[in-house]
Amino acid sequence: MLRTGEFKMKKDLRNQRKERRIQENRKFILDAAEIIFARKGFAQTAVDDIAEEAQFSKATIYRYFNSKLDIFSDIVLNSFREARDEIEKIRQMSSTAGEKIKQMFLFILGYYQRKQNIARIFFFEPEVMKKILGMDMKSHMMPYEAKDNLPDDFRQMVSYMFESTCAVIQEGINTGEFRQVDVEEAAHIFGAMVRGFHFRGPMRERHYSAEESADILYD
């Protein structure tokens, strides 16, 4: 007969294994869904497509997610978490503020390249953005007054990345690398520069690698 402590330990181990399986299965589904969304777009993707790619039954998909939109929302949030974590690593680097800014440019440009098919969904399927963020979007511009209506997770991650950019710019000012500027306005310009350079549309005549683009923006 198991003692109380031994029984509790075995139960805890079973719960840990169960939770690990749940997280692994969710990741398989999200990875498969990102491939399908990137290939077909949101509107043309069916849960059956995701189930086939993940090699799960449709019923299994619905055990972990309520809907196709629920799956896509998780992909978007996970993508922002990835970006937030990488920006934090750059912020904590033992290097100059200038080198940190350059690494931020490099990461964000590479990030846009890796996620360009998912980003395309936002640009060409605005109803998806409206459902996820709860607001109308025009192109990639976000009305200032709408920021407080964003879902908490999304708003917190966007705010953190903006604050990290501000912190690195302020660091550069403090060390004398950068001239005195309005830090928040400089951070907004930083974001506008990198988006504008990457998404420069049909007028783009030359193509650059992420490294070349980061050098141009940094200069």
Side-chain angles (χ1 to χ4, degrees):
M1 181 178 294
L2 291 174
R3 298 177 181 176
T4 302
E6 292 173 336
F7 177 78
K8 184 177 183 301
M9 183 180 297
K10 287 184 177 292
K11 183 178 179 181
D12 287 345
L13 289 173
R14 283 197 297 271
N15 288 338
Q16 289 176 23
R17 288 195 295 271
K18 180 180 179 181
E19 181 61 28
R20 189 178 299 118
R21 282 196 300 272
I22 289 172
Q23 295 306 319
E24 288 174 350
N25 287 345
R26 283 180 63 88
K27 186 178 186 306
F28 279 130
I29 293 167
L30 290 171
D31 289 346
E34 185 165 350
I35 292 170
I36 299 299
F37 284 133
R39 183 187 305 155
K40 302 182 69 172
F42 182 85
Q44 298 301 316
T45 293
V47 174
D48 286 315
D49 299 324
I50 297 170
E52 181 178 355
E53 181 72 25
Q55 298 183 21
F56 284 133
S57 69
K58 187 175 179 179
T60 300
I61 302 294
Y62 281 117
R63 283 178 55 194
Y64 295 100
F65 298 96
N66 295 324
S67 65
K68 179 176 72 171
L69 182 64
D70 192 23
I71 296 172
F72 189 75
S73 297
D74 263 30
I75 289 171
V76 172
L77 284 172
N78 287 342
S79 180
F80 271 92
R81 290 187 187 102
E82 173 192 334
R84 177 201 60 195
D85 292 346
E86 188 60 33
I87 292 295
E88 174 61 16
K89 290 178 184 177
I90 294 171
R91 181 178 174 179
Q92 298 300 328
M93 287 170 54
S94 56
S95 62
T96 65
E99 181 60 28
K100 290 178 184 179
I101 286 291
K102 188 172 181 180
Q103 289 300 315
M104 283 183 172
F105 277 134
L106 183 59
F107 166 71
I108 295 169
L109 289 162
Y111 175 83
Y112 282 157
Q113 289 179 0
R114 293 194 305 276
K115 300 295 182 180
Q116 62 182 343
N117 288 330
I118 296 298
R120 194 172 292 121
I121 292 173
F122 285 124
F123 295 140
F124 295 105
E125 301 185 49
E127 284 302 309
V128 181
M129 179 72 93
K130 184 176 180 180
K131 288 176 182 177
I132 293 175
L133 301 182
M135 65 183 189
D136 289 309
M137 300 289 289
K138 299 296 183 183
S139 181
H140 62 280
M141 302 302 292
M142 182 181 297
Y144 175 81
E145 62 273 12
K147 67 182 179 65
D148 292 333
N149 296 324
L150 293 172
D152 286 343
D153 285 348
F154 186 89
R155 185 176 66 251
Q156 289 170 9
M157 282 186 282
V158 171
S159 295
Y160 179 81
M161 287 188 281
F162 176 75
E163 290 163 4
S164 295
T165 306
C166 289
V168 174
I169 293 171
Q170 185 63 61
E171 180 185 333
I173 293 171
N174 293 344
T175 60
E177 291 178 72
F178 306 153
R179 64 184 175 84
Q180 188 68 45
V181 294
D182 184 304
V183 172
E184 290 194 358
E185 294 303 332
H188 284 301
I189 292 168
F190 172 95
M193 284 174 62
V194 71
R195 287 192 300 273
F197 192 79
H198 182 74
F199 298 107
R200 58 192 187 278
M203 299 305 293
R204 175 172 52 186
E205 295 182 358
R206 296 179 60 185
H207 294 270
Y208 302 96
S209 67
E211 291 79 6
E212 290 169 333
S213 297
D215 285 337
I216 291 169
L217 287 166
Y218 180 71
D219 287 342

